[in-house]
Amino acid sequence: MDYNAQLLMSLPELVLGAGGILLMLVAAWGGQASTRAVSLAAVAVLIGAGIALGGPASSGGEAFDGLYRADMFAAFAKALVYVAAGVSILIAPGFFQRTSGDDLRPEYPVLILFSAAGMGLMVSAGDLITLYVGLELQSLAAYVLASFMRRDARSAEAGLKYFVLGALASGILLYGISLVYGFSGTTLYAGIADAYAQGSSTGLLFGLVFVFAGLAFKISAVPFHMWTPDVYEGAPTPVTAFFASAPKVAAMAMAVRVAMEAMGPAVEQWRQIVVFAALASIILGSVAAIGQSNIKRLLAYSSIANVGFALIGLVAGSEAGVASVLFYMAVYIVMTLGSFLIVLQMRGADGQQVETIDSLAGMSRTRPGLALALAVFMFSLAGVPPFLGFFAKFAVFDAAVGAKLYLLAAVGIAASVIGAYYYLRVVKTMYFDEPAPAFEGRAGLVEGSLIFASAVVISFGMLLLPWLSGWTTAAAHSLF
Amino acid sequence: MIDGLPILSIMLAVPAAAAVACIFAGAAGARWIALLATLVDLVLGGMLWASFDMGPHAAQWQFVEYQPLFGRFAWAMGIDGFALMLILLSVFLMPICILASWKAIEKRVPEYMAAFLVTEILMIGTFAAQDLFLFYIFFEAGLIPMYLIIGIWGGVNRIYASYKFFLYTLLGSVLMLIAMLYMSATAGTTDIPTLMAYDFPAGVQTWLWLAFFASFAVKMPMWPVHTWLPDAHVQAPTAGSVILAGVLLKLGGYGFLRFSLPMFPEASAEWMWLVFALSAVAVVYTSLVALVQSDMKKLIAYSSVAHMAIVTFGLFAFNAQGIEGAMMVMLGHGLVSGALFLCVGVIYDRLHTREIDRYGGLAINMPKYAVLFMLFTMASVGLPGTSNFIGEFLALAGIYQVSTWFALIATTGIILGAAYMLYLYRRVVFGDLTKEDVKAMPDLDGRELVSLGAIAAVVLWMGVYPESFLKPMRPDVTRLIERIERAKPAGDSQPTPGNPEAAKAAHGGEEHGSGHAAPAESHGEAH
């Protein structure tokens, strides 16, 4: 295949990479004053990359001798990543303006662009080395983003924690990759699959366990979830919103591709690991969230539980299962971004951000619209019909039942009731309790319309189901 | 006959539009909008009843609408006789609920009215849904408005009650969802009428039945998962209690009737002992608990559990009397318990306490109230001439054919029911009028009189001429019996046909309604 065609397949990453480098130069020379321009340009770059997805990037071909896949699956995941990254850029200026620490610096959108490029490589990887390079590109940008408020101790702590634990996880993953390479003789997914298909040796099995442990860290599935609440709490809220959405989707898509393409023949081996991770994530994410008083920590545990639900779709290991994972993640990022957008509106009398759940008390009377939107997100996260979150849970459990995993489905859905308790607690605080002092200020035009849009999607998104399920099915089909 | 009009969808659209209008209206406006919308739905319900074809060749499912929606979901609506009656019950009680909240609710009226209208949509939708997952969505979404109604407008301990209500019922329902997913995957359809004729293997039926049972037993509620009910009832505002007792409890019975029995007949027979055992405990235990309550609402709540146990007894009796009786108890109990909660609400609005001891001698200063309360008390006891007598008698007759011992236990519920209801009535209405604040309580006003009077009229109608209510359901009962006949367990009573000729002569051949089904059925059994 000629080289130009191969480059065209990776056009989204090229756009992001070139745009990122260019904007970094602008930021270096333009300084603080260029923040607004760089932010808008970064969003434009993301949109450009999104448009590029429509071309050869989703044609289903392979580039660079199988190192890079340009299929529908990758394209769907990238589209979600770009949306989440764009929202994270748009909501940042207001937040940094209000917090007394640093103003937003133009490096912020640039880092997000690099991170998005890394995520694109992660989901497109057809080789373990491509995967690792993409993962590190994404992670390095993320470590810096976590400590973006340099003078804030919590933010610095979050960055450090994320870095140390992330490096550990990368090490575990790399160790697994080296084992797999050593026993299969290749890092290409197709070759690894052949090696597993010929029967699993102890070395390959160990490699599989380590690779999955590394992946579990990246999607913050139990028992590798410990970093999540601390990092989510400490990082600046727009960054937390970013962490909870884009890298989650990318890591989940990456895990799905590794599980299905590289280790598909070893499904019986990894299924046990994923079943445990799924149920443990759901149960621990739900139980540990009950005691939280900080809304960001609560949402962190909620993200752990949600990853558990998405993993149930992966356990099914079928085409419907993969489609359900993608659908679940798509719905999940809308709910999560919406919730974090509302967290951004929680400001005390002096304009400072507040994060306690108690400060939401009586919000249904002081800010009825905002309260309604958050209630919609909470009921949707709890999986109560008719909201879109119910349909996402429906899809993963349907896939599990289709794969005859009845016990897993029954236990998983019963555990979701525990989760409903703490989501309800937020609704109760907003609707049943006596009003606390109202939050200061109104949502800006951008934030307000984003909240409105996500609430509308969650409430009436089921009307989009024919299209959504068409896309997710096409995306899942490209893995089989 | 109103051909081609999607009357069921209109019944859902009217409250939906009104709910949106309420949000944007003031308090007074919201009250009127809600009342108007529920009255329009009542009229539509009346049209539904009037044009429901009860002829011998009538279709089982009428007013059918079908519109594929998204993915595997379809807007499939349609009703049979059971659903018709329960929809009528819902639309009849709704305007009364709105009237009951007219003055009692002062804070956040627009949201309150909107929540009630949404509840109405979801109730009608649940009864009319013909698609498995559409049913689930309506069934489950009903938790949200009720959670808010209890939590925002409830009593002192409302938050605990609202949580308990939500989580209990959610836990029951999610297992049902897994069962539904399995059914749709296995049978390849989500169409409820098709599934009602689909034969699942007996081994699978057991698990599916248990999953559905988990949901419906909590909704019903059956002992020992009934404990959310007294809390929810006591804490909910009056109208919330009326809707809970009147309609939402019927969802469990409707579920048994629509899903458990026709879809899993073998498993229903297999687990009959469980249903009977739990119902027997419930009848005796909750009646005794009701006897010692000092809170009026709690007493009525426990009596609801006992009455619902008669319903589950009747449903699983596997014969026509049992099922007809269960339906009649559901309808009668919906009216009577709703009315009793209204009666409590009337005096609660005046004195703001539900303690039985704080009242006494109301017959002297509130005669109209005393008369109506007396009627509903007697109806709850099951006095002939009132709605509950028909249902309880039929249900007990049905149970007797299956198990004489369980019939004996179920009948003690009637006796105990008389004990706690009459004891309640004596303490509240009779006795001396000694307390000053009680003396100052005015009698019923026009609004309360209309609400209670309307229910009283229907209670008497149902007791005197039950045929109006039984007729639409009879073909469906026959179909259900045909469906479950193959799994019918042997009864321990041996009813003999008696002497039909003599009986006919004695009654002058003027039997209708409940009368004629019994001999025919026992006749069939003896041969």
Side-chain angles (χ1 to χ4, degrees):
Chain A
M1 198 187 291
D2 93 279
Y3 205 67
N4 283 339
Q6 303 195 31
L7 280 179
L8 269 182
M9 283 186 187
S10 59
L11 190 62
E13 278 72 42
L14 293 179
V15 169
L16 288 174
I21 292 169
L22 200 68
L23 288 177
M24 188 159 63
L25 295 176
V26 174
W29 269 282
Q32 193 73 38
S34 65
T35 307
R36 196 178 150 74
V38 172
S39 295
L40 290 178
V43 174
V45 169
L46 283 168
I47 292 172
I51 293 168
L53 282 178
S58 55
S59 60
E62 286 184 6
F64 315 121
D65 297 327
L67 295 181
Y68 183 95
R69 298 280 161 82
D71 52 13
M72 272 298 287
F73 179 81
F76 186 85
K78 282 178 200 174
L80 297 183
V81 166
Y82 298 162
V83 169
V87 170
S88 309
I89 294 175
L90 285 176
I91 60 179
F95 173 84
F96 283 95
Q97 232 164 45
R98 288 191 294 272
T99 48
S100 56
D102 299 302
D103 272 350
L104 181 65
R105 302 175 63 85
E107 286 84 1
Y108 176 89
V110 174
L111 284 167
I112 287 197
L113 283 188
F114 284 134
S115 188
M119 289 186 257
L121 280 181
M122 281 159 69
V123 298
S124 276
D127 182 282
L128 289 174
I129 298 298
T130 319
L131 174 151
Y132 188 74
V133 170
L135 187 64
E136 285 306 288
L137 178 57
Q138 178 265 320
S139 302
L140 280 175
Y143 301 145
V144 182
L145 283 171
S147 49
F148 206 77
M149 285 161 77
R150 283 174 301 167
R151 300 196 192 100
D152 183 283
R154 284 197 314 168
S155 177
E157 183 195 329
L160 190 65
K161 257 186 192 156
Y162 196 17
F163 175 67
V164 172
L165 288 170
L168 178 72
S170 295
I172 294 175
L173 182 65
L174 208 51
Y175 185 55
I177 290 175
S178 66
L179 278 173
V180 170
Y181 173 66
F183 284 87
S184 67
T186 176
T187 52
L188 275 175
Y189 287 180
I192 296 169
D194 289 341
Y196 276 104
Q198 283 164 16
S200 190
S201 68
T202 316
L204 280 176
L205 191 61
F206 267 83
L208 181 144
V209 171
F210 278 101
V211 167
F212 270 89
L215 294 176
F217 181 93
K218 293 297 172 190
I219 55 175
S220 71
V222 174
F224 302 100
H225 64 283
M226 294 81 77
W227 58 277
T228 318
D230 291 343
V231 172
Y232 279 28
E233 187 190 0
T237 308
V239 177
T240 312
F242 178 67
F243 284 172
S245 50
K248 276 270 158 72
V249 176
M252 184 59 82
M254 174 181 80
V256 169
R257 195 193 279 279
V258 170
M260 304 312 300
E261 284 199 346
M263 300 178 176
V267 59
E268 291 307 320
Q269 276 88 350
W270 58 255
R271 184 173 269 167
Q272 305 163 26
I273 302 175
V274 180
V275 164
F276 171 78
L279 289 183
S281 301
I282 295 172
I283 293 169
L284 188 131
S286 309
V287 172
I290 291 172
Q292 303 304 324
S293 59
N294 181 303
I295 184 97
K296 280 166 79 179
R297 284 186 85 84
L298 182 105
L299 288 170
Y301 282 108
S302 145
S303 84
I304 295 172
N306 276 292
V307 159
F309 286 116
L311 283 177
I312 284 185
L314 174 59
V315 174
S318 56
E319 202 173 313
V322 172
S324 74
V325 174
L326 290 177
F327 179 47
Y328 196 94
M329 294 315 285
V331 175
Y332 163 76
I333 63 164
V334 180
M335 299 187 288
T336 303
L337 286 174
S339 308
F340 276 109
L341 277 161
I342 289 167
V343 173
L344 280 176
Q345 311 310 318
M346 297 166 57
R347 303 165 214 156
D350 51 355
Q352 283 293 308
Q353 295 289 143
V354 285
E355 293 172 1
T356 55
I357 295 175
D358 289 340
S359 66
L360 288 168
M363 195 165 82
S364 63
R365 271 180 273 183
T366 54
R367 300 286 290 277
L370 217 50
L372 185 64
L374 189 53
V376 166
F377 296 138
M378 288 297 134
F379 279 123
S380 177
L381 280 166
V384 183
F387 299 110
L388 200 54
F390 164 74
F391 293 93
K393 283 210 170 69
F394 181 91
V396 290
F397 285 110
D398 190 34
V401 169
K404 305 202 186 308
L405 300 161
Y406 307 123
L407 193 62
L408 172 76
V411 175
I413 206 161
S416 78
V417 177
I418 311 173
Y421 171 76
Y422 65 84
Y423 295 124
L424 281 186
R425 197 162 61 108
V426 175
V427 176
K428 168 235 156 199
T429 312
M430 291 191 302
Y431 278 85
F432 304 171
D433 290 355
E434 287 306 311
F439 297 129
E440 285 300 312
R442 297 272 132 188
L445 182 65
V446 175
E447 293 173 14
S449 41
L450 282 174
I451 292 174
F452 181 74
S454 38
V456 167
V457 167
I458 292 300
S459 308
F460 303 106
M462 45 279 187
L463 301 173
L464 303 173
L465 269 180
W467 293 278
L468 262 175
S469 60
W471 291 330
T472 52
T473 311
H477 188 68
S478 60
L479 287 194
F480 287 85
Chain B
M1 186 77 190
I2 18 173
D3 282 320
L5 203 63
I7 192 164
L8 289 169
S9 292
I10 296 174
M11 284 178 84
L12 298 182
V14 169
V20 175
C22 276
I23 294 282
F24 294 104
R31 289 191 184 106
W32 282 106
I33 292 171
L35 183 64
L36 210 65
T38 48
L39 285 174
V40 169
D41 255 21
L42 178 59
V43 172
L44 286 170
M47 283 161 67
L48 211 58
W49 195 6
S51 49
F52 190 83
D53 187 356
M54 298 173 227
H57 304 294
Q60 181 181 6
W61 302 97
Q62 303 184 23
F63 306 100
V64 178
E65 299 169 25
Y66 186 85
Q67 177 68 42
L69 280 186
F70 29 76
R72 292 158 53 193
F73 300 87
W75 185 258
M77 302 289 242
I79 53 169
D80 62 354
F82 298 136
L84 171 75
M85 280 298 131
L86 288 167
I87 288 177
L88 287 176
L89 179 67
S90 315
V91 294
F92 177 70
L93 285 176
M94 274 317 285
I96 293 171
C97 285
I98 302 293
L99 281 177
S101 320
W102 206 260
K103 286 179 185 152
I105 301 295
E106 285 159 352
K107 62 169 190 178
R108 302 165 90 176
V109 178
E111 287 133 298
Y112 179 89
M113 294 300 168
F116 260 88
L117 290 167
V118 171
T119 311
E120 176 167 28
I121 300 171
L122 298 174
M123 289 183 314
I124 298 173
T126 311
F127 292 131
Q130 275 200 318
D131 179 88
L132 202 55
F133 297 119
L134 189 67
F135 170 85
Y136 184 83
I137 290 170
F138 280 126
F139 186 79
E140 196 71 354
L143 294 180
I144 299 176
M146 210 57 214
Y147 170 74
L148 295 176
I149 288 171
I150 297 174
I152 301 179
W153 295 278
V156 183
N157 206 4
R158 62 188 194 273
I159 289 170
Y160 171 75
S162 63
Y163 271 124
K164 201 167 173 180
F165 164 76
F166 195 102
L167 296 176
Y168 248 77
T169 30
L170 184 64
L171 183 62
S173 311
V174 289
L175 292 174
M176 179 171 81
L177 179 64
I178 298 293
M180 285 179 167
L181 289 172
Y182 175 86
M183 287 161 66
S184 83
T186 310
T189 177
T190 56
D191 185 44
I192 291 177
T194 314
L195 284 167
M196 283 167 74
Y198 187 88
D199 293 320
F200 290 97
V204 172
Q205 277 190 24
T206 307
W207 292 102
L208 295 176
W209 190 91
L210 284 173
F212 277 82
F213 182 70
S215 177
F216 298 141
V218 172
K219 273 272 188 224
M220 192 90 201
M222 292 176 74
W223 184 89
V225 286
H226 66 284
T227 62
W228 64 269
L229 180 77
D231 286 310
H233 268 324
V234 170
Q235 299 305 330
T238 302
S241 303
V242 173
I243 278 301
L244 258 177
V247 186
L248 292 185
L249 296 193
K250 276 65 200 175
L251 291 178
Y254 177 73
F256 283 130
L257 208 54
R258 177 67 74 235
F259 296 92
S260 302
L261 283 170
M263 293 186 193
F264 324 119
E266 276 82 18
S268 297
E270 182 189 348
W271 291 103
M272 192 179 81
W273 65 269
L274 177 70
V275 175
F276 274 19
L278 294 183
S279 306
V281 173
V283 163
V284 178
Y285 169 77
T286 55
S287 298
L288 291 175
V289 172
L291 206 51
V292 297
Q293 293 304 316
S294 59
D295 181 311
M296 285 187 273
K297 268 186 152 181
K298 229 172 191 163
L299 189 148
I300 301 168
Y302 278 109
S303 86
S304 292
V305 182
H307 279 112
M308 286 299 112
I310 306 268
V311 173
T312 42
F313 261 134
L315 287 176
F316 283 86
F318 279 81
N319 52 45
Q321 290 99 313
I323 291 167
E324 282 183 355
M327 270 307 290
M328 289 304 279
V329 174
M330 284 207 270
L331 296 176
H333 173 264
L335 295 170
V336 171
S337 69
L340 286 171
F341 279 118
L342 284 176
C343 287
V344 175
V346 164
I347 51 177
Y348 180 80
D349 286 347
R350 287 161 173 68
L351 211 57
H352 296 286
T353 175
R354 294 181 303 263
E355 283 296 309
I356 296 172
D357 293 343
R358 290 281 293 106
Y359 297 94
L362 291 181
I364 299 164
N365 63 335
M366 296 176 74
K368 290 180 206 157
Y369 174 77
V371 170
L372 282 167
F373 193 10
M374 168 68 100
L375 173 71
F376 296 125
T377 303
M378 290 306 165
S380 180
V381 170
L383 198 75
T386 63
S387 56
N388 284 23
F389 169 75
I390 310 295
E392 284 175 3
F393 182 82
L394 277 172
L396 291 171
I399 302 161
Y400 187 85
Q401 293 176 30
V402 186
S403 167
T404 44
W405 286 106
F406 277 117
L408 181 70
I409 297 173
T411 315
T412 59
I414 313 285
I415 299 163
L416 287 167
Y420 59 72
M421 283 314 294
L422 294 176
Y423 186 45
L424 168 75
Y425 190 78
R426 187 190 74 75
R427 284 183 292 171
V428 172
V429 177
F430 294 152
D432 295 330
L433 188 61
T434 51
K435 303 176 181 76
E436 286 306 316
D437 48 0
V438 176
K439 273 185 203 165
M441 282 164 52
D443 205 350
L444 299 177
D445 64 17
R447 174 177 62 88
E448 291 157 344
L449 209 55
V450 169
S451 309
L452 290 173
I455 302 183
V458 180
V459 164
L460 290 173
W461 177 10
M462 205 182 274
V464 174
Y465 191 68
E467 180 64 8
S468 314
F469 302 88
L470 280 167
K471 197 175 174 198
M473 299 191 285
R474 193 163 293 121
D476 300 299
V477 173
T478 315
R479 282 188 202 102
L480 184 59
I481 294 295
E482 280 167 11
R483 170 83 182 141
I484 61 178
E485 188 68 39
R486 63 167 200 250
K488 183 176 183 169
D492 67 348
S493 61
Q494 310 293 328
T496 44
N499 192 341
E501 293 308 314
K504 203 170 181 183
H507 287 275
E510 277 186 67
E511 288 176 301
H512 40 217
S514 54
H516 85 234
E521 180 64 30
S522 40
H523 205 82
E525 187 128 319
H527 297 281

